[in-house]
Amino acid sequence: MVMKGNVTTIRKVLKKKLDEERYEHTLGVAYTAMCLAMKYGEDLYKAEVAGLLHDCAKCYPDEVKLAKCEKYNISVTDVERRNPSLVHAKLGAFLAMNKYGVTDMDVVDAILNHTTGKPAMTLLEKIIFVADYIEPRRNKAPHLDKIRRMAFEDLDEAVRVILKATLEYLQDKGSAIDEMTAHAWEYYEKEWEKERKNESVTEHGEAGI
Ligand code: FE
Ligand code: FE
């Protein structure tokens, strides 16, 4: 992967740009992403860089996030304008390319889609989406021990469960739900149902022999 700079440099810059808690979370996501990459056969370096940079735009004050989007011609929706924290993914993807020298679009896409998820994610996108939720410093979400184990057994199943938990959490809080999260959940729910049907057909077939 051709890339300006390296992970040590990226880490040094991030340490200045992020608060302490976010920096710790960032390292947790990078290492968890690398473990998942080992398990599922993704490039370790891509996983590390995407993990390190996924929240690189998270700690700017809201008005700075919006100002940067305007400066770099990044479109902002009405929902994002009302809740500017949501733009950290697309602003982060932009900064990864233009400030951190990332040229690999798999890495950029994984940063871009890490918050909402999306239907039919690539392996690296799934790894970052899941690592963001299960990294060791996270402690608030329910059933984390179970989801952590699941992530290393069936990545798609972990994606589906995390999407569902995210939607439920946002609904309970009365927060705006990004359409993409709902689309992503519907997609993985359908895939899961398809798989279950296939399994029951196979079982039935075997039983019939
Ligand atoms: Fe994030
Ligand atoms: Fe994060």
Side-chain angles (χ1 to χ4, degrees):
M1 177 166 50
V2 186
M3 198 180 265
K4 240 201 301 178
N6 56 36
V7 289
T8 324
T9 317
I10 292 175
R11 255 191 254 141
K12 273 188 200 142
V13 177
L14 287 174
K15 198 157 192 187
K16 285 189 221 134
K17 300 275 179 194
L18 303 175
D19 62 40
E20 203 182 341
E21 198 184 333
R22 184 62 46 183
Y23 183 68
E24 285 297 315
H25 162 71
T26 291
L27 295 185
V29 174
Y31 286 122
T32 305
M34 281 195 278
C35 292
L36 290 169
M38 288 176 200
K39 164 79 185 173
Y40 294 106
E42 181 53 276
D43 184 294
L44 297 190
Y45 187 57
K46 286 190 195 192
E48 183 172 23
V49 173
L52 284 174
L53 290 175
H54 83 286
D55 273 347
C56 70
K58 182 93 176 183
C59 289
Y60 294 117
D62 283 352
E63 62 278 13
V64 175
K65 284 194 194 86
L66 292 176
K68 282 185 186 289
C69 285
E70 187 151 337
K71 181 175 166 196
Y72 300 128
N73 278 323
I74 300 169
S75 65
V76 175
T77 64
D78 284 344
V79 179
E80 288 168 339
R81 206 165 285 283
R82 269 179 270 132
N83 185 1
S85 151
L86 295 172
V87 303
H88 81 274
K90 52 172 128 167
L91 182 57
F94 177 89
L95 296 177
M97 273 196 288
N98 296 288
K99 299 285 175 191
Y100 293 89
V102 175
T103 53
D104 188 302
M105 288 315 286
D106 285 348
V107 173
V108 174
D109 285 341
I111 299 169
L112 185 63
N113 298 307
H114 85 266
T115 311
T116 58
K118 67 169 201 171
M121 284 187 269
T122 65
L123 177 57
L124 188 62
E125 284 171 333
K126 287 188 274 196
I127 284 176
I128 297 301
F129 181 77
V130 170
D132 194 21
Y133 198 86
I134 66 165
E135 65 93 3
R137 297 281 184 265
R138 284 249 195 233
N139 53 21
K140 291 198 190 85
H143 313 301
L144 263 179
D145 47 350
K146 197 172 153 222
I147 298 172
R148 283 182 172 129
R149 230 176 305 125
M150 189 189 285
F152 288 89
E153 284 159 9
D154 185 338
L155 191 61
D156 280 14
E157 175 75 346
V159 166
R160 184 181 69 84
V161 168
I162 293 169
L163 285 165
K164 192 173 179 205
T166 305
L167 287 172
E168 281 170 0
Y169 172 77
L170 293 173
Q171 264 156 7
D172 285 352
K173 253 189 15 170
S175 303
I177 290 170
D178 192 297
E179 269 183 11
M180 192 55 91
T181 307
H183 289 323
W185 178 68
E186 277 160 26
Y187 174 89
Y188 283 97
E189 191 71 13
K190 272 195 198 120
E191 290 296 299
W192 182 64
E193 275 163 19
K194 256 192 252 167
E195 215 169 280
R196 276 204 317 182
K197 255 184 218 151
N198 284 343
E199 271 166 23
S200 73
V201 167
T202 319
E203 273 165 30
H204 190 72
E206 276 166 8
I209 289 170

